[in-house]
Amino acid sequence: MALDAAQAAKEILAAVGGPENVVSAAHCATRLRLVIADDSKVDKDAVEDALGAKGNFQASGQLQIIYGTGTVNKVYEEFCKQGNISAVSKEELKDVAAGNQNKFMAAIKVLSDVFVPIIPAIVASGMLMGIMGALEFMSNSGMIAINTEGVWWRIAGLINACALANLQILLGFSAATVFGGNPYLGASFGALLISSSFINAYAAADAIANGTMITLDVIPGLYSIDWIGYQGHVIPILVGVWIMCAIEKKMHQIVPDMFDLFVTPLVSVAGAAYITILFIGPIFVWLENAILGLLTALLSVPLGLGYILIGLIYSPSVVTGLHQMYTTIDVSMLGQYGVTYWLPIASAANIAQGGACLAVALKTKSEKTKALAIPSGISCLLGITEPAIFGVNLPKLKPFLAGMAGAAVGAFICSLTKLAASGTGVTGLFGILLCIQQPVQYIIMFLASFGVAFALTWILYSDEPDKQRAPKAVAPAHVDAIAQAGVLASPMTGNAIAMSDAPDAVFASLAMGNGAVVEPTAGEVYSPCDGTVTMLFDTKHAVGLMADDGTEILIHIGVDTVQLEGKPFVAHVAAGDKVKAGDLLITADLDEIAAAGKPTATMVIVTNTDDYASVTPELGAVKAGEKLVTVAK
């Protein structure tokens, strides 16, 4: 059954403290991402129990709520609609959240922002590389016959190599986008650094061995560089593009408009090229190689201890967000060694968390847990771990620890078998395509990771009794509202339009008086002024008030809602009650009204309009308590 996105959004909006507590909202493929103004206003239990939510966590300065692919976008649209929240891009949201991050996590975020858009291209190349490797393996084993000289195979080979062979161009384009520069200049800069004028980085060792390496003086007698391209490197490209973007932004400020078109691109690319090739590039190539050397040394620790350590910490690194940098490690290893030893360890960790999650699914007696754990566990086996980690394993802890243990065992097998991948981007079941030269070793790693995590979870995990939460005390609701003579606050949050645009001819004719119409996104109706409740309809769809300054107001919730016989409404006041501006009058179930086919537009009518020289509405987005109508004698 499809998720009721409107109800899911309503529940999560209430759980996070209402629209006024949401600074910004965006979504990715699986998660609703929110920047919250005041974390203390978030009802964590309600977030956890919200309809459709598969888990939640705080990361990168954001509250991230997992709904899953194909669902999160629908919940997001309803969330923005109901809360009258402006949609922002993930990049804009990250900018808002960046103030909550330390410099290290900010650097990790940059790597993530650069790599995420190009991952589909890397995955496509990696998958085809794996498929072609599998076909070649079967051909060499005599299982099938393949014409590797034919046009079909040659075209597949071009597709296979395109992303990784031209990765620096993709990185240049993506990095310039992230750093706020011209992405086409970034792509040009990436192409420059892998120009055929350089000695190809993959052939540098041979050039040194046979004496054909080109070494050029920068400062004669003091400093020289080897004329080597940047194939297989990542960090020098990113730093170089950052320099280019910094120059470009400065040039836009100082170059006259009539010269900007040709002066700025030339100076930006040329300046960055000289700085990168002569100085920055060699430094960061050394740094990148040093990092790879440290990782290689760690993987070379006797008895597979380094592999075990990486296996143990991989899943916790997903929780912290550090895993965003791992594609960089894969790409660098592929550039230097032609294979990556990191990806099989990542695959072991993902498979192990999947095994733990599926053990919970089979052992639990909770239908809610089972419904969440089965798809989340399967998702792990396809390489997506967040739903399982944040929705099932980590909250229950023991399955998460069992998954870490399974990952450590799988990583140890990677060490024993020297399991390596020929590409990146794909783990889990399909990761075998990238390890097709070692299929048996991959299968053993898979079974061990899954089996250990599953078995430990089965032994250690047991359902906890449902938490008995104390009922929350119901206090009279209130919003901060304008309380001054001649001003009526908006009783609801939503969008204000003129009374003449009301979806009912009687109200639109102003026969009952002028005022404003609020198209609400939340169902709470608050008092627009200090005064007295003069009338409350038995069906609770309308309430009359007399303001202390003499203004007579009728609030009519929806059109033809009298026919609903009060079912969608809960009254919190009675006729004769004294109220203050911002006191809760009525709660309306907007979804139930809409489901009955009735407009939810709420009319706020000054019924003694004839007593005033003017009744002026404030139109546009409005929150409950903000100025809506001004009356003047």
Side-chain angles (χ1 to χ4, degrees):
M1 182 185 235
L3 177 73
D4 184 342
Q7 182 62 27
K10 179 180 179 181
E11 291 185 16
I12 205 65
L13 188 62
V16 299
E20 61 276 6
N21 199 37
V22 179
V23 178
S24 293
H27 75 91
C28 60
T30 59
R31 284 164 276 170
L32 178 64
R33 296 166 174 258
L34 308 176
V35 176
I36 300 298
D38 184 353
D39 287 335
S40 67
K41 295 181 179 179
V42 176
D43 185 336
K44 294 180 181 178
D45 289 336
V47 171
E48 181 182 333
D49 292 340
L51 179 67
K54 299 179 179 179
N56 66 87
F57 60 100
Q58 288 274 358
S60 304
Q62 305 168 28
L63 172 61
Q64 302 188 24
I65 304 157
I66 303 165
Y67 286 98
T69 305
T71 300
V72 65
N73 54 310
K74 298 174 184 175
V75 176
Y76 170 71
E77 289 173 6
E78 285 289 341
F79 184 86
C80 292
K81 178 181 175 183
Q82 293 182 26
N84 197 30
I85 296 166
S86 299
V88 300
S89 68
K90 285 188 290 182
E91 288 70 26
E92 292 170 321
L93 187 86
K94 289 173 182 176
D95 289 340
V96 174
N100 299 330
Q101 292 181 296
N102 58 42
K103 291 183 179 179
F104 178 70
M105 289 307 299
I108 298 301
K109 183 182 86 71
V110 169
L111 284 176
S112 172
D113 291 348
V114 170
F115 268 100
V116 166
I118 64 177
I119 280 177
I122 297 173
V123 169
S125 273
M127 282 290 287
L128 186 56
M129 185 182 298
I131 292 169
M132 292 182 71
L135 293 174
E136 238 176 336
F137 177 80
M138 289 187 285
S139 176
N140 294 335
S141 303
M143 300 169 62
I144 59 174
I146 297 177
N147 178 12
T148 57
E149 300 299 323
V151 64
W152 295 96
W153 186 264
R154 288 176 181 270
I155 293 174
L158 292 175
I159 302 168
N160 167 342
C162 66
L164 291 177
N166 299 287
L167 179 63
Q168 286 66 34
I169 299 175
L170 299 178
L171 286 172
F173 186 96
S174 185
T177 302
V178 170
F179 295 137
N182 185 321
Y184 298 99
L185 292 183
S188 299
F189 185 79
L192 180 154
L193 293 179
I194 56 171
S195 168
S196 59
S197 297
F198 287 113
I199 294 174
N200 192 296
Y202 299 133
D206 291 338
I208 293 172
N210 60 31
T212 58
M213 174 58 68
I214 300 173
T215 301
L216 301 174
D217 286 336
V218 178
I219 302 174
L222 293 176
Y223 177 59
S224 61
I225 62 169
D226 291 332
W227 193 242
I228 302 173
Y230 287 81
Q231 293 86 356
H233 291 286
V234 172
I235 298 177
I237 310 297
L238 302 186
V239 176
V241 173
W242 178 80
I243 292 170
M244 185 204 76
C245 292
I247 296 173
E248 181 189 357
K249 291 175 185 176
K250 190 66 178 177
M251 294 299 292
H252 282 313
Q253 294 174 0
I254 64 176
V255 175
D257 291 346
M258 64 183 298
F259 301 117
D260 187 60
L261 179 63
F262 54 90
V263 171
T264 296
L266 172 61
V267 174
S268 301
V269 174
Y274 274 99
I275 294 171
T276 301
I277 294 171
L278 295 180
F279 304 105
I280 298 297
I283 293 171
F284 280 94
V285 165
W286 175 86
L287 178 62
E288 195 173 278
N289 289 337
I291 293 171
L292 278 180
L294 287 173
L295 289 175
T296 302
L298 179 60
L299 295 176
S300 301
V301 173
L303 305 177
L305 295 177
Y307 274 83
I308 292 171
L309 176 61
I310 294 171
L312 282 171
I313 66 174
Y314 190 92
S315 291
S317 74
V318 173
V319 176
T320 63
L322 290 175
H323 68 298
Q324 302 287 2
M325 67 183 289
Y326 292 160
T327 304
T328 309
I329 296 173
D330 277 329
V331 169
S332 297
M333 281 191 172
L334 287 167
Q336 186 155 331
Y337 308 127
V339 294
T340 171
Y341 298 98
W342 192 270
L343 185 128
I345 303 174
S347 201
N350 293 347
I351 292 163
Q353 290 297 333
C357 190
L358 289 174
V360 171
L362 292 178
K363 193 173 182 182
T364 184
K365 294 180 175 61
S366 166
E367 290 302 319
K368 179 180 178 180
T369 301
K370 192 182 296 291
L372 174 59
I374 291 175
S376 298
I378 293 172
S379 175
C380 273
L381 301 185
L382 299 177
I384 306 297
T385 59
E386 284 91 343
I389 288 178
F390 294 109
V392 180
N393 295 356
L394 189 59
K396 300 181 185 305
L397 189 58
K398 289 178 181 178
F400 184 72
L401 297 176
M404 291 173 58
V409 172
F412 179 67
I413 290 172
C414 292
S415 170
L416 293 179
T417 60
K418 301 302 178 188
L419 188 58
S422 59
T424 186
V426 184
T427 62
L429 285 168
F430 295 113
I432 193 171
L433 294 174
L434 300 180
C435 302
I436 201 62
Q437 299 299 321
Q438 301 166 288
V440 175
Q441 293 92 323
Y442 191 91
I443 291 170
I444 294 172
M445 176 275 291
F446 189 112
L447 294 176
S449 302
F450 184 95
V452 169
F454 187 97
L456 286 176
T457 303
W458 191 268
I459 294 168
L460 298 174
Y461 173 76
S462 59
D463 283 334
E464 296 177 2
D466 292 335
K467 291 182 287 184
Q468 298 297 318
R469 295 175 187 152
K472 296 179 181 178
V474 179
H478 184 88
V479 295
D480 291 331
I482 292 174
Q484 63 186 71
V487 175
L488 301 181
S490 178
M492 303 179 81
T493 294
N495 187 60
I497 61 175
M499 185 63 69
S500 57
D501 293 328
D504 179 276
V506 174
F507 293 118
S509 70
L510 308 186
M512 297 184 67
N514 201 355
V517 180
V518 178
E519 298 174 325
T521 56
E524 292 74 22
V525 182
Y526 299 93
S527 177
C529 58
D530 292 349
T532 305
V533 177
T534 57
M535 172 189 62
L536 179 68
F537 277 66
D538 291 340
T539 51
K540 303 164 195 164
H541 73 288
V543 60
L545 301 110
M546 171 69 78
D548 287 347
D549 66 356
T551 307
E552 298 172 11
I553 307 109
L554 174 67
I555 302 173
H556 193 288
I557 308 164
V559 176
D560 293 332
T561 45
V562 66
Q563 300 172 8
L564 302 181
E565 301 178 342
K567 293 177 183 176
F569 306 102
V570 176
H572 302 280
V573 292
D577 285 356
K578 295 288 290 182
V579 292
K580 293 288 185 182
D583 286 349
L584 184 63
L585 304 176
I586 296 171
T587 301
D589 189 330
L590 301 182
D591 291 338
E592 188 172 345
I593 296 171
K598 309 297 184 184
T600 58
T602 297
M603 281 56 69
V604 183
I605 309 155
V606 177
T607 54
N608 61 337
T609 292
D610 291 342
D611 294 343
Y612 297 96
S614 65
V615 175
T616 308
E618 299 283 336
L619 307 183
V622 66
K623 292 182 179 179
E626 294 180 348
K627 182 164 69 172
L628 179 68
V629 175
T630 303
V631 297
K633 293 283 190 182

